[in-house]
Amino acid sequence: MAMLILVRHGRSTANTAGLLAGWTPGVALDERGAEQAAALPGRLAGVPLAAAVSSPLQRCRETLAPLFAARPELEQHTDDRIGECHYGDWSNRKLSELSGEPLMKIVQQHPSAAAFPGGESMRAMQARAVDAVREWNARIEEEHGSDAVFLMCSHGDIIKSLVADALGMHLDLFQRIHVDPCSVTAVRYTPTRPFLLRLGDTGDFGSLAPRPAPAPAPDAEAAGTADFESATEDGGNAVVGGGAGAA
């Protein structure tokens, strides 16, 4: 079956502001995110893409804009099912405020039981994303052949949940997976099982260098919120590898 390239959007203004963006409109790439997006066509230059599917949110569309400019012939599609988790009442709130919410412990330790007030559950988020991938796999293979490669640009928690599904992991373990802004993850699906070929590949291993320890959090669970859309220098999940949603 077809190979799927998953791209997380570049660093956004919500990342640097420490906000949980969710579906909040007007969240764009910041300067660093725009640089990451501009480098994406070169990183994928050797990959013969049949189509690209994007989350409808602005930060994903901006991430793919340079790729579409470099490949005007590339099929372009949008699918709401790979849009960010619907965080409901938590949307556009500061992560520092959300760290004290009792639900945060569930999000961190038992995400399959977590449902956001006024939003959706994390199980529903994963289910819709997996359904989208399976349907696009079948469509791409039918239209372009079993060796075709296609791309999806989405969000941190969506990509992590798709990787967990590909690995046969329970959703409660998906917080152990880490994907940086504008990183590339590759999954090849077959009739019997998927194979994870790349995970969170940025082409830059400088992020693996030791970093200064962060300031002590008010409690252990507060530290876990960093992976939402952390306001660290890379705007990703580097401080703590597990949080609810990277927007």
Side-chain angles (χ1 to χ4, degrees):
M1 297 180 68
M3 181 188 299
L4 171 61
I5 304 293
L6 290 162
V7 176
R8 183 184 171 190
H9 65 76
R11 196 176 73 173
S12 73
T13 53
N15 295 152
T16 49
L19 297 173
L20 182 62
W23 284 70
T24 304
V27 178
L29 299 183
D30 67 6
E31 183 177 354
R32 173 59 180 155
E35 292 173 352
Q36 292 170 330
L40 188 61
R43 293 169 57 200
L44 296 175
V47 181
L49 296 172
V53 186
S54 178
S55 156
L57 297 176
Q58 179 178 342
R59 51 198 182 273
C60 287
R61 292 185 282 108
E62 290 181 348
T63 298
L64 290 187
L67 180 65
F68 291 148
R71 301 194 192 191
E73 77 288 352
L74 185 59
E75 290 183 19
Q76 303 179 30
H77 305 276
T78 301
D79 194 325
D80 287 359
R81 295 175 296 175
I82 61 169
E84 179 60 286
C85 185
H86 292 277
Y87 295 122
D89 297 343
W90 280 28
S91 299
N92 211 35
R93 289 181 59 187
K94 285 188 173 294
L95 295 172
S96 57
E97 297 173 358
L98 293 171
S99 65
E101 295 281 353
L103 177 61
M104 183 59 71
K105 184 175 183 178
I106 308 301
V107 169
Q108 296 296 320
Q109 298 185 10
H110 192 192
S112 66
F116 296 97
E120 70 179 333
S121 69
M122 302 196 83
R123 288 183 293 106
M125 172 202 74
Q126 183 187 42
R128 62 173 164 86
V130 170
D131 285 347
V133 165
R134 299 292 180 173
E135 290 179 21
W136 278 104
N137 275 343
R139 174 175 172 177
I140 294 297
E141 182 174 7
E142 179 180 359
E143 296 179 358
H144 299 279
S146 59
D147 292 329
V149 182
F150 72 108
L151 178 149
M152 283 184 165
C153 184
S154 188
H155 307 265
D157 271 356
I158 297 292
I159 294 173
K160 289 162 56 180
S161 70
L162 289 171
V163 170
D165 173 75
L167 292 176
M169 292 172 54
H170 196 282
L171 184 61
D172 285 344
L173 302 178
F174 98 124
Q175 302 291 26
R176 302 181 184 192
I177 300 168
H178 173 86
V179 290
D180 281 316
C182 221
S183 63
V184 173
T185 295
V187 183
R188 179 177 291 281
Y189 289 85
T190 76
T192 55
R193 55 184 172 176
F195 292 87
L196 181 64
L197 305 180
R198 295 286 189 279
L199 175 61
D201 189 340
T202 63
D204 177 6
F205 294 97
S207 63
L208 299 180
R211 299 187 179 193
D219 55 52
E221 292 304 325
T225 65
D227 197 28
F228 265 101
E229 275 285 13
S230 110
T232 60
E233 178 61 25
D234 67 0
N237 342 21
V239 177
V240 177

PDB file of all heavy atoms in Angstrom, residues 14 93 103 118 124 126 136 178 180 198-199 239:
ATOM      1  N   ALA A  14       1.423  30.669  18.574  1.00  0.00           N
ATOM      2  CA  ALA A  14       0.908  30.126  19.831  1.00  0.00           C
ATOM      3  C   ALA A  14       2.000  29.394  20.587  1.00  0.00           C
ATOM      4  O   ALA A  14       2.040  29.423  21.826  1.00  0.00           O
ATOM      5  CB  ALA A  14      -0.263  29.181  19.548  1.00  0.00           C
ATOM      6  N   ARG A  93      -5.997  29.123  25.845  1.00  0.00           N
ATOM      7  CA  ARG A  93      -5.613  29.434  27.216  1.00  0.00           C
ATOM      8  C   ARG A  93      -4.120  29.181  27.395  1.00  0.00           C
ATOM      9  O   ARG A  93      -3.515  28.384  26.684  1.00  0.00           O
ATOM     10  CB  ARG A  93      -6.406  28.580  28.207  1.00  0.00           C
ATOM     11  CG  ARG A  93      -7.871  28.966  28.316  1.00  0.00           C
ATOM     12  CD  ARG A  93      -8.592  28.101  29.335  1.00  0.00           C
ATOM     13  NE  ARG A  93      -7.995  28.200  30.675  1.00  0.00           N
ATOM     14  CZ  ARG A  93      -8.367  27.435  31.705  1.00  0.00           C
ATOM     15  NH1 ARG A  93      -9.310  26.508  31.538  1.00  0.00           N
ATOM     16  NH2 ARG A  93      -7.781  27.583  32.887  1.00  0.00           N
ATOM     17  N   LEU A 103      -7.950  17.834  35.268  1.00  0.00           N
ATOM     18  CA  LEU A 103      -7.984  17.018  34.055  1.00  0.00           C
ATOM     19  C   LEU A 103      -6.596  16.781  33.483  1.00  0.00           C
ATOM     20  O   LEU A 103      -6.375  15.780  32.785  1.00  0.00           O
ATOM     21  CB  LEU A 103      -8.877  17.703  33.002  1.00  0.00           C
ATOM     22  CG  LEU A 103      -8.977  17.032  31.632  1.00  0.00           C
ATOM     23  CD1 LEU A 103      -9.558  15.624  31.752  1.00  0.00           C
ATOM     24  CD2 LEU A 103      -9.818  17.894  30.685  1.00  0.00           C
ATOM     25  N   GLY A 118     -16.381  20.965  26.677  1.00  0.00           N
ATOM     26  CA  GLY A 118     -16.819  21.696  25.499  1.00  0.00           C
ATOM     27  C   GLY A 118     -16.117  21.281  24.226  1.00  0.00           C
ATOM     28  O   GLY A 118     -16.329  21.885  23.163  1.00  0.00           O
ATOM     29  N   ALA A 124     -11.659  10.057  20.521  1.00  0.00           N
ATOM     30  CA  ALA A 124     -12.343  10.497  19.300  1.00  0.00           C
ATOM     31  C   ALA A 124     -11.363  11.157  18.339  1.00  0.00           C
ATOM     32  O   ALA A 124     -11.453  10.972  17.120  1.00  0.00           O
ATOM     33  CB  ALA A 124     -13.476  11.453  19.648  1.00  0.00           C
ATOM     34  N   GLN A 126      -8.152  10.472  17.997  1.00  0.00           N
ATOM     35  CA  GLN A 126      -7.373   9.432  17.330  1.00  0.00           C
ATOM     36  C   GLN A 126      -8.212   8.688  16.301  1.00  0.00           C
ATOM     37  O   GLN A 126      -7.746   8.418  15.183  1.00  0.00           O
ATOM     38  CB  GLN A 126      -6.809   8.441  18.341  1.00  0.00           C
ATOM     39  CG  GLN A 126      -5.929   7.376  17.696  1.00  0.00           C
ATOM     40  CD  GLN A 126      -5.503   6.276  18.659  1.00  0.00           C
ATOM     41  OE1 GLN A 126      -6.309   5.797  19.461  1.00  0.00           O
ATOM     42  NE2 GLN A 126      -4.235   5.891  18.605  1.00  0.00           N
ATOM     43  N   TRP A 136      -7.537   7.669   2.932  1.00  0.00           N
ATOM     44  CA  TRP A 136      -6.612   8.272   1.980  1.00  0.00           C
ATOM     45  C   TRP A 136      -5.624   7.236   1.446  1.00  0.00           C
ATOM     46  O   TRP A 136      -5.243   7.277   0.270  1.00  0.00           O
ATOM     47  CB  TRP A 136      -5.875   9.449   2.612  1.00  0.00           C
ATOM     48  CG  TRP A 136      -6.698  10.710   2.580  1.00  0.00           C
ATOM     49  CD1 TRP A 136      -7.358  11.292   3.611  1.00  0.00           C
ATOM     50  CD2 TRP A 136      -6.945  11.524   1.431  1.00  0.00           C
ATOM     51  NE1 TRP A 136      -8.002  12.416   3.189  1.00  0.00           N
ATOM     52  CE2 TRP A 136      -7.763  12.589   1.849  1.00  0.00           C
ATOM     53  CE3 TRP A 136      -6.548  11.466   0.101  1.00  0.00           C
ATOM     54  CZ2 TRP A 136      -8.201  13.584   0.970  1.00  0.00           C
ATOM     55  CZ3 TRP A 136      -6.975  12.454  -0.781  1.00  0.00           C
ATOM     56  CH2 TRP A 136      -7.796  13.495  -0.345  1.00  0.00           C
ATOM     57  N   HIS A 178       7.414  11.607  20.585  1.00  0.00           N
ATOM     58  CA  HIS A 178       7.786  13.016  20.459  1.00  0.00           C
ATOM     59  C   HIS A 178       7.967  13.389  18.994  1.00  0.00           C
ATOM     60  O   HIS A 178       8.635  12.674  18.238  1.00  0.00           O
ATOM     61  CB  HIS A 178       9.096  13.254  21.213  1.00  0.00           C
ATOM     62  CG  HIS A 178       9.680  14.622  21.016  1.00  0.00           C
ATOM     63  ND1 HIS A 178       9.314  15.702  21.780  1.00  0.00           N
ATOM     64  CD2 HIS A 178      10.599  15.085  20.125  1.00  0.00           C
ATOM     65  CE1 HIS A 178       9.994  16.774  21.373  1.00  0.00           C
ATOM     66  NE2 HIS A 178      10.770  16.421  20.368  1.00  0.00           N
ATOM     67  N   ASP A 180       8.836  17.009  16.729  1.00  0.00           N
ATOM     68  CA  ASP A 180       9.155  18.433  16.736  1.00  0.00           C
ATOM     69  C   ASP A 180       8.381  19.188  15.660  1.00  0.00           C
ATOM     70  O   ASP A 180       7.885  18.580  14.705  1.00  0.00           O
ATOM     71  CB  ASP A 180      10.652  18.637  16.483  1.00  0.00           C
ATOM     72  CG  ASP A 180      11.493  18.396  17.719  1.00  0.00           C
ATOM     73  OD1 ASP A 180      11.095  18.875  18.800  1.00  0.00           O
ATOM     74  OD2 ASP A 180      12.543  17.744  17.602  1.00  0.00           O
ATOM     75  N   ARG A 198      10.313   6.410   9.728  1.00  0.00           N
ATOM     76  CA  ARG A 198      10.949   7.593  10.296  1.00  0.00           C
ATOM     77  C   ARG A 198      10.036   8.127  11.387  1.00  0.00           C
ATOM     78  O   ARG A 198       8.820   8.031  11.281  1.00  0.00           O
ATOM     79  CB  ARG A 198      11.169   8.698   9.258  1.00  0.00           C
ATOM     80  CG  ARG A 198      12.142   8.366   8.143  1.00  0.00           C
ATOM     81  CD  ARG A 198      13.596   8.376   8.634  1.00  0.00           C
ATOM     82  NE  ARG A 198      14.522   8.256   7.515  1.00  0.00           N
ATOM     83  CZ  ARG A 198      14.837   7.111   6.933  1.00  0.00           C
ATOM     84  NH1 ARG A 198      14.288   5.972   7.353  1.00  0.00           N
ATOM     85  NH2 ARG A 198      15.696   7.076   5.918  1.00  0.00           N
ATOM     86  N   LEU A 199      10.637   8.726  12.413  1.00  0.00           N
ATOM     87  CA  LEU A 199       9.837   9.331  13.477  1.00  0.00           C
ATOM     88  C   LEU A 199      10.437  10.679  13.857  1.00  0.00           C
ATOM     89  O   LEU A 199      11.575  10.753  14.322  1.00  0.00           O
ATOM     90  CB  LEU A 199       9.787   8.431  14.712  1.00  0.00           C
ATOM     91  CG  LEU A 199       9.063   9.010  15.935  1.00  0.00           C
ATOM     92  CD1 LEU A 199       7.598   9.307  15.603  1.00  0.00           C
ATOM     93  CD2 LEU A 199       9.153   8.058  17.129  1.00  0.00           C
ATOM     94  N   VAL A 239      10.952  20.002  26.321  1.00  0.00           N
ATOM     95  CA  VAL A 239      11.200  20.097  27.749  1.00  0.00           C
ATOM     96  C   VAL A 239      10.780  18.820  28.459  1.00  0.00           C
ATOM     97  O   VAL A 239      11.512  18.229  29.213  1.00  0.00           O
ATOM     98  CB  VAL A 239      10.441  21.311  28.342  1.00  0.00           C
ATOM     99  CG1 VAL A 239      10.639  21.358  29.846  1.00  0.00           C
ATOM    100  CG2 VAL A 239      10.969  22.593  27.722  1.00  0.00           C
TER     101      VAL A 239
END
